[in-house]
Amino acid sequence: MKSMKISEAVVRRLPIYLRFLNELNRMNVTTVSSQDLGSKLDLNPAQIRKDLAYFGEFGKKGIGYDVKYLIEKIRQILKLDQRIQVALVGAGNLGRALCNYNAYLQDNMKIVAVFDAEKSKIGQNMNNLTVLPMSELTDTIRELQIRIGIITVPASEAQNVADRFVEAGIEAILNFAPVIIKVPPHIRVHHADFTTDLQSLAYYLNKEEEA
Amino acid sequence: MKSMKISEAVVRRLPIYLRFLNELNRMNVTTVSSQDLGSKLDLNPAQIRKDLAYFGEFGKKGIGYDVKYLIEKIRQILKLDQRIQVALVGAGNLGRALCNYNAYLQDNMKIVAVFDAEKSKIGQNMNNLTVLPMSELTDTIRELQIRIGIITVPASEAQNVADRFVEAGIEAILNFAPVIIKVPPHIRVHHADFTTDLQSLAYYLNKEEEA
DNA sequence: TAGATTGTTAATCGATTAACAATC
DNA sequence: TAGATTGTTAATCGATTAACAATC
């Protein structure tokens, strides 16, 4: 059923499927079973079949999934078959690192504009992009039809940047700042905070290693 | 009950509580209710109370939680009251960015060694650390009692690095490379892959913005 | 045909939320 | 005491997994 609402967990797995399918495709593998996918990605095969079945009948009983066809379908589902322009605010080390990942992103998705509030950063070159002042944010986002915003500024500035993004009409935000940002309900926010990741890892360490 | 197993979702929320509690503490707020926490962090108050109750009775009925006391308790739970040394492999832009986050990490947790396979990177300075060759990885991890490893190398190298970490006795890994890595069951791995984050965000964009 | 694997239903498992007695 | 808020149980909601008929 096209119109039932899909859980976030399912959506988060789709890019992982896609990445491995692309790898298989590069290796000229033409067909893959949910079994194969599951063992490679550490997921239950039934879960993979169910995830995909939310969107259509992509497989063939007794055979599995056609790699190229499934890639095409997942790209459509994730809207990666459209051009998706991304803006980044915060031209520090992290921002620079992410800009360099442009190559890793799916062809149509690209960081196309970088902004910073600090005078010293403006005009700098970052992976072929020139760092722009915040005053140009709104116009640039509208002109380039930028739909996703990335925040890599310090925590104290993150909410301000989010507000600017929302005002400029961005539809989704990926926030790397270590703070929860508030946005209107129609805007999607993902938090990608490496400090909380690392701190939760500590929980799983063994008791006290050191004396 | 101390010995019941705690769900991953709970553990992932603890650092978020901790971060906000630290902020309250800096602002000299001494007491906080699950209500307050919930509205600030966009979480259900009942969930917060339940999360905390897994570990003990930290609150006072009719009053709420003592900020300083709760900070202390969560730090204990997450083992952030111990010194936790972290190693990072991959001295590229992302690695450099993460090293600079050292200040953001909870006092006792620190990146204390950086490695890279490329000759040109070795000897470089990264936030007061000298980039070391891979040949020194095992010895350094043992000598400095490093317990967590961060992977910021290209996808093709990530599994190799993970294997080296495991062999050297690391207990947990935070992997930034866009690939699923395999480790023995006693090693904890978190994946912090920004490309899949961004791709799943695309799903939530509105239909077709452009013509 | 025999073997393999999907799509899907039913069963299980787990996580979130509501409700409220206990009590500060 | 009256009001507030916890800790916890029960109810709800949602996600994962098992099982299997359909079928390539």
Side-chain angles (χ1 to χ4, degrees), chain A residues 189-208:
Chain A
V189 176
H190 284 187
H191 287 275
D193 177 1
F194 125 90
T195 57
T196 53
D197 266 336
L198 208 46
Q199 288 178 358
S200 67
L201 256 193
Y203 176 82
Y204 298 98
L205 295 175
N206 307 320
K207 256 282 172 307
E208 316 239 345

Side-chain angles (χ1 to χ4, degrees), chain A residues 35-117:
Chain A
Q35 195 61 246
D36 299 338
L37 282 164
S39 71
K40 177 68 180 186
L41 304 175
D42 286 334
L43 295 170
N44 183 302
Q47 181 171 66
I48 293 174
R49 293 200 299 279
K50 200 161 201 287
D51 284 354
L52 297 173
Y54 283 118
F55 303 98
E57 303 197 1
F58 301 147
K60 285 212 197 344
K61 293 187 171 76
I63 308 289
Y65 299 90
D66 181 87
V67 171
K68 280 200 158 88
Y69 180 70
L70 192 51
I71 287 174
E72 190 189 320
K73 284 300 173 187
I74 294 181
R75 281 170 50 83
Q76 283 170 14
I77 295 162
L78 290 174
K79 303 199 180 70
L80 296 174
D81 57 337
Q82 318 175 25
R83 175 174 292 267
I84 297 178
Q85 315 259 47
V86 181
L88 183 147
V89 177
N93 281 289
L94 184 55
R96 181 174 297 277
L98 300 185
C99 284
N100 284 300
Y101 265 71
N102 251 347
Y104 279 77
L105 293 173
Q106 198 72 25
D107 21 345
N108 282 328
M109 186 183 264
K110 282 251 153 18
I111 298 172
V112 295
V114 181
F115 302 90
D116 203 290

Side-chain angles (χ1 to χ4, degrees), chain A residues 8 55 60 87 99 101 123 130 147 169 174 176 178 182 192-193 211:
Chain A
E8 185 167 344
F55 303 98
K60 285 212 197 344
C99 284
Y101 265 71
T130 301
R147 301 170 72 184
L174 183 55
F176 284 85
K182 307 275 190 174
D193 177 1

Side-chain angles (χ1 to χ4, degrees), chain A residues 20-45:
Chain A
F20 180 51
L21 289 165
N22 278 322
E23 194 182 322
L24 289 175
N25 188 43
R26 278 195 300 277
M27 293 158 57
N28 296 312
V29 176
T30 59
T31 296
V32 69
S33 69
S34 58
Q35 195 61 246
D36 299 338
L37 282 164
S39 71
K40 177 68 180 186
L41 304 175
D42 286 334
L43 295 170
N44 183 302

Side-chain angles (χ1 to χ4, degrees), chain A residues 97, chain B residues 88-97 114-116 121 126 152:
Chain B
L88 182 148
V89 177
N93 282 288
L94 184 55
R96 181 172 298 276
V114 181
F115 303 89
D116 202 290
K121 294 275 175 59
M126 273 176 55
T152 53

Side-chain angles (χ1 to χ4, degrees), chain A residues 119-131:
Chain A
K119 273 231 175 65
S120 63
K121 295 274 174 59
I122 294 162
Q124 276 188 17
N125 192 288
M126 274 177 55
N127 195 40
N128 299 326
L129 297 168
T130 301
V131 178

